Amino acid sequence: MTYVEHPSLMACPACAVVPSAERLASLAAPQSTRLMLSLPTAHCALCMTTIEHGLENLPGVRSARVNLSLRRVSVDADADVTADRLILNLARLGYEAHELDAGLLSATETDRQSQELLMRLGVAGFSMMNVMLLSVAVWSGAEDATRQLFHWISAIIALPTVAFAGQPFFRSAWACIKARRLGMDVPISLALILACAMSLFETVMGGRYAYFDAAVSLTFFLLAGRYLDHRTRAVARSAAEHLAALEVPRAQVLREGAEIVLPLAQVVVGDLVRVRPGGRMPVDGVVMDGASEVDRSLLTGETLPVYTGPGSRVSAGEVNLTGPLTLRVTAAGRDSSLHQMADLVAVAESAKTLYTGLAERAAQIYAPLVHLLSGGAFVFWLWQTGGDVRFAINISAAVLIITCPCALGLAVPAVVTAASGKLFRKGLLIKHGTALERLAEVDTVVFDKTGTLTLGLPEPVGLSDYPAEVISVAMALAAASSHPLAVALAAHSAAQGIRPAVLTALHEVPGYGVEGQWQGELARLGRATWVGATPLSVTATYLMLNGATFAFAFTDRLRPGAEVAVAALMAQGKQVVLLSGDGEGAVAPMAARLGITDWTANALPTDKAARVAALTAHGHKVLMVGDGLNDTAALVAAHVSISPASALDAARVASDIVLLGQDMAPIVDALRIASQARRRIKENFAISAAYNIVAVPLALAGLASPLAAALAMSLSSITVSLNALRLR
Amino acid sequence: MDILIYLIPASLLLGGIGLAAFFWALKDRQFEDPLGDANRILKPDWEDHPAPQSKSA
């Protein structure tokens, strides 16, 4: 996103016609950009200083400011500064970073809503303090005119406050009533309105009891719960949205001989699309021109790149590795295989919201019960007193106020906020409101291999078996290519202190490999058939030198923390399953290394989903951890799902929790914290129920005073919040 | 008890000032990054004349 600032210094209309020198200058000067990066691993003052200084020392960067709460940095820089460069520099400083879409970020709807809630909370807090102060005087024995005066002042403060600060409850209660449902907000709104109306009536009549303090503190505590709830969700949602903005939906289209960049929505079937090496296929298509290898790992889990040439079919989401390709589009946008899969996910997503959280279940019991109690009290006292409506309404309002779910409204949000905050600090983003509760029930964990347990980055093995000369030639050839295997080979041998041999006439043959001249001999590094070697069963690249061939095998690097995570899960008594779309040769050693006995290789996307469904049918609650398109169906079918931030868009959308960092160990913490959080939520319900069991009979008997209501309300809310903070 | 005539308005006024300050802080986006601001005081580098902060950080 770019923006130009031109403060208007001119006031007279005549001047406004003439473009100011400043404006001209700003048009000519490079425009500034604002870049946003997500920083999953930043956590302290030192990180903040290192990152800000590191970025500000780069040429073209004007300022950088870290937001530690949201784990992101915003950078003001010249237009020619790219996010890639910043990410590279941050990596050098030791921080992982991902680009975010700054356009989405500026002032989002959720941001405005949380400001609004906070403001209402502030107003409610202010008047709660003032009204309480006046109420204490009344409780401690103010009489006659003084009490009257205090009630009136309380009314003047409380009524506008409830009218303003209570709006979120009134709105949602009204929506509930219109939809003929009985939500938690209906009794809340009823209690607020009834308390205010009755207290106003009593004040006018010069009565003893007024519940203004109760009405206002009720609003305050409930708003606090609402705000916590909103904040957790907003932080998770905005970060998830911005991760989604990582993939730019554009394609390079050849039209009338010229290459133009078009948004994906404007690409139609029959267009010619060019995909550069390293780029992701934006559409489904048939290769018209060019030869290359494509990486299908995100779609199928295969780690071996697949050769493509004219006539091969490719699908959206695959990554082009070596040579430029020109595709004839067979399906674009909504019809592409990538998008169809994403649509399936959307359907399944809506099914998932059917899970009713603990809060919802509590509300389903609570709301009718409260109305019944209050109505019953009204009828009983009307009959008992022989038609004293004022007294009966007093009692039924007191019942509503005392049972009002201050603690219930805080019970879930306070715990969820504490837990999500803890997990966010560990690098896990909770996307779904009930994800934590579902996570607590998990007894089976299913992992995908490529990109989940592994990083999807190849690493050469057994290099030391070869003579140094062979390696140095291979390294020189590898350095000339951007193929992932070549890059890994070059980097790995460089790390071992090997110097590349001097080769001439180096060039890359797209789709095959690299060749060059070494001491007058032809040397080739690339596909087995091209160099004349017999292919191995594992990922490998082959070298031809002096008529002999050498094979360099690769293994996928294990994600940091994967071993620890799997071992810890097994120690917790969870069943661990590995389902991979990759070949047996790659899966078996990985499973053995991690100690997973239950593994399946060559699994198709449907196989994965079927396996998860079968486990579910046997009564298991499955946690699916996966990153590829081939995992999405399984991610959706599972009880709860996690995907790493590097996962494909569709997979991240389908999952409930996103792992922001590379380390896998937080998953174990997540399971532990989730089950702890569920315990706390249940304790909180028990606490608020206990308060009600004591207070409700008093209210029903007509013995409740405003003081008792205030005590019950504040004490239960505070105990519940403190209990939530016990989360470790 | 005549003192109440002064004390009650005084307490309301003081509370009102607090509320106004809260609104100002809210508008000034001071609640945007509580964790970062808490850590910022620990930064080793400091300036004698800090530049005005950008409001949309």
Side-chain angles (χ1 to χ4, degrees):
Chain A
M1 189 194 74
T2 60
Y3 67 92
V4 194
E5 283 179 343
H6 31 85
S8 100
L9 295 169
M10 304 155 298
C12 82
C15 295
V17 184
V18 191
S20 70
E22 198 178 349
R23 174 110 188 274
L24 286 176
S26 81
L27 285 174
Q31 298 181 343
S32 66
T33 49
R34 161 156 297 171
L35 296 160
M36 289 276 184
L37 304 174
S38 131
L39 298 164
T41 52
H43 66 278
C44 65
L46 190 65
C47 302
M48 210 154 63
T49 322
T50 320
I51 291 167
E52 287 181 358
H53 278 245
L55 289 177
E56 277 166 1
N57 287 338
L58 293 177
V61 174
R62 292 174 195 170
S63 75
R65 193 172 170 89
V66 173
N67 184 328
L68 212 53
S69 314
L70 296 174
R71 297 278 165 99
R72 54 170 81 127
V73 58
S74 73
V75 180
D76 279 320
D78 293 340
D80 55 342
V81 175
T82 62
D84 291 344
R85 229 179 77 206
L86 300 181
I87 290 172
L88 207 69
N89 273 289
L90 285 173
R92 218 166 284 156
L93 293 172
Y95 294 98
E96 203 183 326
H98 307 276
E99 192 187 356
L100 301 171
D101 190 332
L104 281 171
L105 220 123
S106 45
T108 50
E109 179 71 7
T110 47
D111 194 42
R112 207 178 53 74
Q113 273 182 9
S114 77
Q115 284 251 335
E116 206 172 82
L117 269 176
L118 199 56
M119 183 172 289
R120 291 185 206 279
L121 187 65
V123 171
F126 157 80
S127 45
M128 181 176 79
M129 284 188 286
N130 280 293
V131 174
M132 270 297 173
L133 218 59
L134 297 167
S135 301
V136 169
V138 175
W139 297 335
S140 50
E143 286 293 330
D144 310 323
T146 320
R147 190 179 65 201
Q148 268 309 99
L149 176 70
F150 282 10
H151 277 172
W152 274 115
I153 297 173
S154 300
I156 290 167
I157 302 170
L159 293 177
T161 302
V162 172
F164 170 70
Q167 273 171 28
F169 307 110
F170 300 149
R171 261 201 296 267
S172 112
W174 182 237
C176 272
I177 290 170
K178 269 203 296 197
R180 297 185 181 282
R181 279 187 303 115
L182 204 59
M184 192 86 116
D185 283 336
V186 179
I188 291 174
S189 303
L190 201 63
L192 287 180
I193 293 170
L194 211 57
C196 283
M198 187 198 77
S199 305
L200 187 65
F201 178 75
E202 288 291 315
T203 306
V204 172
M205 303 296 287
R208 265 192 75 193
Y209 289 153
Y211 283 96
F212 289 121
D213 64 299
V216 178
S217 48
L218 198 61
T219 320
F220 176 77
F221 284 126
L222 288 170
L223 273 174
R226 203 54 62 99
Y227 176 68
L228 287 180
D229 193 41
H230 183 87
R231 245 183 82 106
T232 342
R233 271 163 217 235
V235 168
R237 197 183 311 123
S238 70
E241 267 169 18
H242 300 141
L243 277 175
L246 275 171
E247 274 155 69
V248 187
R250 286 180 209 285
Q252 287 180 315
V253 182
L254 287 172
R255 278 197 187 152
E256 289 147 19
E259 199 170 298
I260 46 173
V261 177
L262 282 183
L264 215 48
Q266 290 177 24
V267 178
V268 292
V269 172
D271 269 344
L272 284 175
V273 171
R274 277 177 71 84
V275 186
R276 295 189 189 290
R280 187 166 283 171
M281 311 287 171
V283 292
D284 290 0
V286 178
V287 176
M288 301 304 290
D289 187 28
S292 178
E293 284 176 291
V294 296
D295 176 0
R296 297 201 160 138
S297 61
L298 275 175
L299 274 76
T300 61
E302 298 167 72
T303 40
L304 274 177
V306 180
Y307 173 77
T308 41
S312 315
R313 303 190 71 90
V314 293
S315 3
E318 296 176 352
V319 178
N320 182 13
L321 292 177
T322 43
L325 290 176
T326 307
L327 313 176
R328 169 82 61 197
V329 179
T330 54
R334 297 231 144 263
D335 302 320
S336 74
S337 49
L338 188 68
H339 214 98
Q340 280 173 358
M341 196 69 105
D343 283 348
L344 273 181
V345 169
V347 172
E349 180 94 316
S350 57
K352 205 166 228 178
T353 52
L354 288 177
Y355 179 87
T356 40
L358 284 169
E360 223 170 310
R361 270 181 275 169
Q364 276 166 8
I365 305 170
Y366 167 83
L369 193 70
V370 166
H371 287 123
L372 220 64
L373 272 178
S374 167
F378 176 76
V379 172
F380 174 79
W381 284 104
L382 201 61
W383 166 72
Q384 187 71 16
T385 54
D388 187 346
V389 180
R390 179 175 163 189
F391 186 72
I393 288 186
N394 256 322
I395 299 277
S396 84
V399 169
L400 263 182
I401 292 166
I402 283 191
T403 54
C404 211
C406 273
L408 218 53
L410 275 171
V412 178
V415 176
V416 171
T417 307
S420 317
K422 272 219 158 59
L423 289 177
F424 187 61
R425 256 164 273 149
K426 289 183 189 292
L428 281 167
L429 196 67
I430 314 291
K431 272 175 59 195
H432 205 281
T434 58
L436 267 178
E437 290 173 33
R438 283 181 276 141
L439 198 58
E441 297 168 358
V442 163
D443 60 1
T444 305
V445 185
V446 177
F447 284 105
D448 164 51
K449 185 183 78 75
T450 319
T452 307
L453 280 174
T454 68
L455 287 170
L457 294 174
E459 199 173 52
V461 284
L463 269 190
S464 49
D465 299 349
Y466 296 106
E469 198 179 64
V470 172
I471 298 175
S472 69
V473 172
M475 185 184 173
L477 285 166
S481 168
S482 59
H483 190 287
L485 293 184
V487 171
L489 186 61
H492 196 80
S493 36
Q496 293 195 340
I498 297 164
R499 301 180 65 88
V502 182
L503 271 76
T504 52
L506 268 175
H507 68 278
E508 189 163 13
V509 185
Y512 294 95
V514 190
E515 63 181 19
Q517 296 285 329
W518 183 67
Q519 296 177 354
E521 293 266 355
L522 178 69
R524 276 178 170 178
L525 180 75
R527 302 173 57 77
T529 48
W530 186 56
V531 302
T534 36
L536 300 180
S537 66
V538 294
T539 311
T541 185
Y542 306 88
L543 175 74
M544 184 192 76
L545 185 70
N546 293 335
T549 59
F550 305 90
F552 297 101
F554 288 83
T555 173
D556 204 351
R557 201 195 307 169
L558 216 53
R559 192 176 274 272
E563 271 166 304
V564 183
V566 171
L569 289 174
M570 286 178 165
Q572 284 180 9
K574 312 266 192 256
Q575 187 186 342
V576 179
V577 181
L578 176 62
L579 293 179
S580 178
D582 209 353
E584 206 174 312
V587 181
M590 179 71 61
R593 190 166 155 196
L594 291 169
I596 300 174
T597 46
D598 188 352
W599 55 270
T600 311
N602 298 316
L604 296 173
T606 43
D607 295 343
K608 292 194 179 195
R611 182 71 198 278
V612 169
L615 283 167
T616 309
H618 278 92
H620 291 292
K621 303 281 186 196
V622 181
L623 161 66
M624 173 78 201
V625 189
D627 77 318
L629 197 60
N630 58 332
D631 300 317
T632 33
L635 286 170
V636 169
H639 192 54
V640 58
S641 48
I642 299 181
S643 68
S646 57
L648 203 65
D649 218 7
R652 266 193 328 245
V653 169
S655 57
D656 304 296
I657 299 170
V658 175
L659 186 65
L660 291 174
Q662 283 202 335
D663 195 346
M664 193 152 234
I667 290 181
V668 183
D669 291 323
L671 283 169
R672 185 178 54 79
I673 291 177
S675 54
Q676 221 178 52
R678 195 173 59 149
R679 207 159 50 234
R680 295 277 171 274
I681 291 176
K682 287 188 169 163
E683 283 167 12
N684 277 354
F685 284 153
I687 291 172
S688 47
Y691 276 102
N692 277 335
I693 286 170
V694 175
V696 169
L698 283 178
L700 283 175
L703 297 171
S705 62
L707 176 62
L711 273 180
M713 197 142 54
S714 327
L715 276 179
S716 63
S717 300
I718 290 166
T719 9
V720 161
S721 314
L722 288 179
N723 190 40
L725 288 178
R726 287 202 303 134
L727 212 66
R728 279 282 161 270
Chain B
M1 291 301 251
D2 292 344
I3 193 77
L4 285 178
I5 292 167
Y6 305 104
L7 283 184
I8 289 172
S11 87
L12 286 180
L13 183 75
L14 287 174
I17 291 172
L19 190 65
F22 172 70
F23 281 170
W24 168 76
L26 195 62
K27 285 252 153 59
D28 208 42
R29 295 182 165 267
Q30 294 190 15
F31 296 97
E32 198 114 300
D33 182 16
L35 199 64
D37 291 337
N39 273 292
R40 229 164 253 283
I41 56 164
L42 300 173
K43 276 173 66 164
D45 52 327
W46 49 276
E47 294 166 284
D48 280 328
H49 304 285
Q53 284 172 13
S54 109
K55 287 206 171 182
S56 44

